[in-house]
Amino acid sequence: MIVVCDRYVTSNMLYQMVRYENNDQQLAFLRWLETTEYDLLDLPTPDIVLFLTLPLYIRKDMLLNRLGKTGGSTGDIHERDMDYLRQIDEAQYKLINKMNMVQIDCSNEDTVKSIDEIHELIYNTLQEKGMIWVPEKVYIVMVDDQIEALYYNEANAREDIEERIEEGYAPEDVAIRTCYINDFNEEE
């Protein structure tokens, strides 16, 4: 099962830890929150947290451009407080290091990277961490020269073919085609 959340326990960690003045208090709070959220409330512990970051000066411009467009005229209370946002920036690096999160920088100097660039960074990161599996080959079940099913396991494809023959398909009308993923080339 894959669950992708854009705000979760780590968001609480980040935005609440800055309320504590020193590092020891922040770490104690983080331990308490982890125990409360993961152990007592039994929320699922993430396998990975990708922390998408943008420099404050880019975020500030984005916030100013958003004013009045989301139903409010002044932005939320935290977004208006640049000092608070600087504290969040400092805290995020502590949190990234402590929690073994993966930081993904979404900026190109003075601009935000494109959605495609950010997607590629996320995809490559997940693949490097072994969280995305790309099969070497797939097995395609063909019926009357039409694709009917796709399997990553040859035994499942063979079982599908056997079931179709039992249902009345002629053996010469059903087939398995093996497709090697490396055979696909975007330039072709």
Side-chain angles (χ1 to χ4, degrees):
M1 173 170 54
I2 298 174
V3 177
V4 177
C5 299
D6 66 348
R7 296 180 66 87
Y8 196 55
V9 174
T10 49
S11 178
N12 287 339
M13 290 176 170
L14 179 60
Y15 284 91
Q16 300 303 317
M17 73 185 272
V18 296
R19 294 177 178 218
Y20 298 93
E21 293 183 17
N22 67 51
N23 195 48
D24 291 339
Q25 291 173 327
Q26 289 177 348
L27 292 175
F29 166 75
L30 292 174
R31 283 191 298 275
W32 172 83
L33 188 62
E34 285 179 301
T35 300
T36 302
E37 301 276 23
Y38 298 132
D39 298 339
L40 298 175
L41 298 177
D42 203 27
L43 292 175
T45 305
D47 295 317
I48 189 168
V49 174
L50 302 178
F51 205 108
L52 281 60
T53 60
L54 281 172
L56 183 55
Y57 62 90
I58 293 176
R59 293 195 329 265
K60 181 180 177 185
D61 288 343
M62 292 172 71
L63 292 170
L64 290 173
N65 288 331
R66 193 178 76 178
L67 289 180
K69 296 178 183 174
T70 58
S73 60
T74 59
D76 89 8
I77 190 169
H78 300 301
E79 293 172 349
R80 290 189 311 233
D81 186 345
M82 287 300 130
D83 187 50
Y84 179 73
L85 292 177
R86 278 187 208 82
Q87 291 174 10
I88 295 295
D89 277 10
E90 292 171 16
Q92 78 185 4
Y93 296 109
K94 285 184 196 176
L95 194 59
I96 288 168
N97 292 329
K98 181 202 178 305
M99 303 301 293
N100 197 25
M101 298 176 188
V102 178
Q103 178 182 350
I104 298 192
D105 181 6
C106 298
S107 66
N108 284 327
E109 296 182 28
D110 291 338
T111 61
V112 179
K113 289 179 179 169
S114 72
I115 291 172
D116 289 339
E117 289 173 303
I118 295 169
H119 170 268
E120 186 175 345
L121 288 170
I122 291 170
Y123 184 87
N124 290 340
T125 298
L126 292 174
Q127 195 168 25
E128 287 168 13
K129 300 283 184 183
M131 303 194 85
I132 293 179
W133 174 70
V134 178
E136 291 181 21
K137 57 186 168 183
V138 293
Y139 303 91
I140 301 170
V141 172
M142 307 287 292
V143 177
D144 294 325
D145 293 323
Q146 298 294 315
I147 296 173
E148 290 293 321
L150 179 129
Y151 295 95
Y152 298 118
N153 179 304
E154 185 176 12
N156 292 347
R158 292 200 178 284
E159 185 178 308
D160 183 315
I161 291 287
E162 290 171 13
E163 288 174 7
R164 290 174 192 274
I165 291 171
E166 287 175 14
E167 291 172 3
Y169 285 96
E172 61 272 9
D173 292 336
V174 293
I176 296 175
R177 302 282 184 257
T178 302
C179 178
Y180 292 86
I181 300 300
N182 289 335
D183 289 347
F184 290 103
N185 186 337
E186 291 183 24
E187 294 176 14
E188 292 180 1

